[in-house]
């Protein structure tokens, strides 16, 4: 009976951890965006339009018909939010438009649009992507549009980038190439087991470089590595250890 309960427990963990992963969101640099993350996009009040481009991937084994909703969380007067998707511009909160995505197919034609209309400040818009045939299959991202005349072109760039780990599968040592901005207080890479236990980590120094982690002591199997910036997990990818 105890073995059955344990089997059920681990099965439940696997099932629950897979929920929300059928739809994956990436930025236009092919960096995976964690579900429910807040992404900041900078611009000037005089800009006609500020755009955040997103890629949507069907990470499941089934066909999906994706639609999207948007919800303005932090509105500003006289501002206008919309999105452009597959040659279709949507202004409504709950559109009926949908696109078809086959297994492992990626759509790179979604843009969150914001018109500041000369206003300074911030506007947060939550975008939720879901399968119209099974709305429980969904993924969400919050875009925070920030407008201020003081933002330079450098400050508009992404705050981080991290290459795929290599080699992968790994035998003894793995490497990462990274880029960070000066405003970041602390950054590190952590490696976790399937159950979430941290088995290794390395602090990142400077704004650009190459980091390494020794995986000799790890047993063979599947792990996840994450980039943690100022105590917030920014992205997570898979690592395979095979001695």
């Amino acid at each position: 009976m105890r073995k059955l309960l344990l089997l059920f427990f681990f099965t439940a963990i696997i099932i629950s951890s897979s929920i929300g992963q059928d739809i994956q969101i990436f930025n236009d640099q092919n960096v995976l965006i964690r579900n429910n993350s807040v992404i900041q996009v900078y611009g000037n009040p005089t800009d006609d339009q500020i755009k955040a481009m997103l890629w949507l991937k069907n990470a499941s084994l089934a066909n999906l018909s994706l639609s999207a909703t948007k919800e303005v969380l932090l509105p500003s007067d006289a501002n206008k939010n919309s999105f452009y998707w597959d040659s279709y511009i949507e202004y409504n909160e709950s559109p009926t438009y949908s696109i078809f995505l086959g297994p492992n197919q990626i759509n790179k034609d979604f843009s969150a649009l914001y018109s500041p209309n000369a206003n300074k400040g911030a506007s947060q818009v939550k975008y939720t992507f879901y399968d119209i045939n099974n709305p429980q299959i969904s993924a969400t991202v919050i875009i925070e549009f920030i407008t201020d005349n003081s933002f330079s072109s450098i400050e508009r760039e992404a705050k981080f980038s991290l290459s795929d780990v290599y080699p992968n599968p790994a035998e003894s040592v793995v490497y990462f190439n990274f880029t960070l901005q000066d405003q970041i207080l602390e950054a590190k890479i952590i490696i976790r087991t399937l159950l979430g236990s941290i088995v290794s980590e390395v602090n990142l120094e400077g704004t650009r470089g190459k980091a390494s982690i020794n995986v000799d002591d790890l047993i063979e199997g599947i792990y996840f590595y994450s980039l943690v910036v100022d105590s917030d997990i920014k992205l997570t990818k898979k690592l395979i250890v095979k001695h």
Side-chain angles (χ1 to χ4, degrees):
M1 179 65 179
R2 185 178 179 183
K3 290 183 178 179
L4 289 175
L5 288 175
L6 287 174
L7 177 61
F8 174 78
F9 175 73
F10 286 114
T11 302
I13 289 177
I14 295 172
I15 292 175
S16 62
S17 65
S18 65
I19 294 176
Q21 296 180 357
D22 288 340
I23 302 173
Q24 293 180 338
I25 305 173
F26 296 80
N27 66 14
D28 58 352
Q29 303 298 315
N30 200 28
V31 176
L32 179 65
I33 299 173
R34 188 166 53 116
N35 194 33
N36 292 311
S37 290
V38 179
I39 306 300
Q40 293 179 329
V41 180
Y42 298 97
N44 287 305
T46 55
D47 291 339
D48 291 334
Q49 199 171 68
I50 303 171
K51 179 169 65 173
M53 297 180 63
L54 301 176
W55 298 356
L56 286 306
K57 179 180 180 180
N58 176 4
S60 74
L61 300 178
N63 295 327
L64 298 179
S65 294
L66 293 188
S67 189
T69 62
K70 70 180 181 69
E71 177 185 357
V72 179
L73 304 179
L74 183 64
S76 299
D77 293 340
N79 295 339
K80 183 169 65 175
N81 298 280
S82 60
F83 62 82
Y84 173 92
W85 199 5
D86 200 29
S87 303
Y88 181 83
I89 297 180
E90 182 60 68
Y91 297 95
N92 298 322
E93 297 292 319
S94 300
T96 57
Y97 180 75
S98 64
I99 66 164
F100 174 85
L101 276 183
N104 291 315
Q105 187 177 353
I106 299 177
N107 178 277
K108 300 181 179 181
D109 201 28
F110 183 94
S111 297
L113 307 175
Y114 172 71
S115 299
N117 295 332
N119 291 325
K120 294 182 180 180
S123 179
Q124 285 189 348
V125 184
K126 180 170 73 172
Y127 299 89
T128 301
F129 305 92
Y130 64 95
D131 179 23
I132 61 174
N133 299 312
N134 186 0
Q136 290 184 339
I137 299 177
S138 64
T140 297
V141 64
I142 298 173
I143 306 294
E144 183 175 28
F145 300 95
I146 302 175
T147 54
D148 194 309
N149 287 325
S150 63
F151 290 127
S152 67
S153 59
I154 294 178
E155 290 172 312
R156 297 184 199 181
E157 296 177 359
K159 290 186 176 181
F160 63 88
S161 66
L162 182 69
S163 70
D164 289 338
V165 62
Y166 59 95
N168 192 10
E171 182 176 353
S172 58
V173 180
V174 292
Y175 300 93
F176 311 83
N177 298 323
F178 67 90
T179 301
L180 304 170
Q181 281 193 351
D182 291 333
Q183 296 91 335
I184 291 174
L185 300 178
E186 180 187 44
K188 60 184 177 181
I189 299 171
I190 61 174
I191 297 179
R192 295 175 294 168
T193 66
L194 289 173
L195 298 181
S197 299
I198 297 177
V199 293
S200 188
E201 65 179 70
V202 60
N203 291 321
L204 303 180
E205 303 293 340
T207 58
R208 184 185 299 270
K210 180 178 179 180
S212 63
I213 296 180
N214 194 311
V215 296
D216 266 337
D217 296 333
L218 301 183
I219 62 174
E220 291 190 351
I222 298 175
Y223 297 83
F224 293 102
Y225 66 94
S226 301
L227 174 64
V228 182
V229 177
D230 293 338
S231 301
D232 187 22
I233 296 178
K234 294 299 184 181
L235 61 89
T236 297
K237 297 183 180 181
K238 185 168 66 175
L239 165 67
I240 299 175
V241 174
K242 189 175 182 180
H243 300 302

